[in-house]
Amino acid sequence: MSIEWKGVMPAVTTKFTKEDQLDLNTFETNIKAQLDAGVHGIVLGGTLGEASTLLEREKSLLTKATVEIVNDSVPVLMNIAEQSTKGAIAAAHQAEEDGAQGLMMLPPMRYKAGERETVAYFKSVAHSTKLPIMIYNNPVDYNIEVTLDMFDELLKCKNIEAVKESTRDISNITRIKNRFGDRLKIMTGVDTVALESLLMGADGWIAGLVCAFPAETVAIFELQKVGRIQEAIDIYRWFLPLLELDINPKLVQNIKLAEVYTGIGTENVRPPRLPLFGEERQKVVKIIEDSLKTRPTLPNYKNL
């Protein structure tokens, strides 16, 4: 399956039992809710997926399970977040073997690679696989920025096709479009600037709160796509207090708590993470409960 870099692709959470095992039953419930809402792809093993805590066999199991659940209806992507080029190549090969149709790739973990090293890292993986690749550019959280000059070199690899644009600088959408046109597809990666980024030309949205609110997220994308901007803005304004839960060190716990309230997840996280507690939890609960009281009625966004 080739990938159309467009629409809403949830960076899904990984579901765990209270015994710290993969909870594939709850995971399937959530994936089916995403598909029912009309998402355009599924991204596994990202920050929200608690990737750094997953064992290799768990990543493999998640990929295979997701491929089976979606049954070719949307592409399945696995995130690559490794410390070495050798490890990243092995992870890419495993994802391909498990049935993933694409990769999302972070720069090297832990070691702060220079520009030449980062480019060499991405290109080595790209040359090792036929899978299409989306570069995850998040200098705020991961301390390495993939600059436009670096993309000039990276785009010599035909299977590097897209960027998850998470610099939080909306003007970067225009810079990318001016420099590369449609050669580099843009998936906005920060929930709190998502609509603004789409209106400036981003092709799609790798989303976080979609994990708990899939229909609202897809509705925003579809409405703005057909020019019904004010309707998209109205939903987005309602959504913003929830979206802000994504730009927080406890984003995993925040979003998993929201999934509980919408009936498509649990609060179980993998240690050292722990579920929210005390005043911190109550603040998030209030945001969720207040938002649910005014949850908008959505138009028939699937048939626009």
Side-chain angles (χ1 to χ4, degrees), residues 133-266:
I133 293 172
M134 172 175 60
I135 302 296
Y136 186 178
N137 191 19
N138 186 347
V140 176
D141 292 326
Y142 294 105
N143 299 316
I144 295 176
E145 180 170 4
V146 186
T147 66
L148 298 190
D149 287 344
M150 292 164 72
F151 273 115
D152 263 329
E153 183 66 26
L154 290 171
L155 292 180
K156 294 176 182 178
C157 300
K158 292 184 178 180
N159 59 334
I160 294 180
E161 298 179 353
V163 57
K164 180 181 177 183
E165 165 52 39
S166 298
T167 64
R168 306 188 190 184
D169 179 357
I170 296 172
S171 62
N172 214 34
I173 304 291
T174 301
R175 292 188 189 97
I176 293 169
K177 287 294 183 185
N178 286 347
R179 184 91 163 245
F180 303 114
D182 286 334
R183 171 61 184 90
L184 183 63
K185 298 296 185 180
I186 304 171
M187 303 294 287
T188 182
V190 180
D191 277 359
T192 54
V193 295
L195 179 55
E196 295 90 337
S197 297
L198 291 167
L199 293 175
M200 290 308 299
D203 302 285
W205 179 3
I206 308 295
L209 264 296
V210 67
C211 295
F213 295 91
E216 288 83 355
T217 309
V218 178
I220 289 169
F221 174 80
E222 298 293 353
L223 287 165
Q224 64 82 34
K225 182 181 174 183
V226 298
R228 291 167 62 172
I229 307 301
Q230 188 58 54
E231 290 173 87
I233 289 173
D234 290 343
I235 299 169
Y236 190 60
R237 285 177 177 165
W238 163 83
F239 211 178
L240 188 60
L242 291 163
L243 297 177
E244 288 176 332
L245 298 176
D246 186 49
I247 52 168
N248 183 287
K250 298 285 181 70
L251 75 163
V252 175
Q253 292 94 321
N254 292 344
I255 291 174
K256 283 192 166 183
L257 182 55
E259 289 178 332
V260 171
Y261 271 84
T262 56
I264 52 176
T266 73

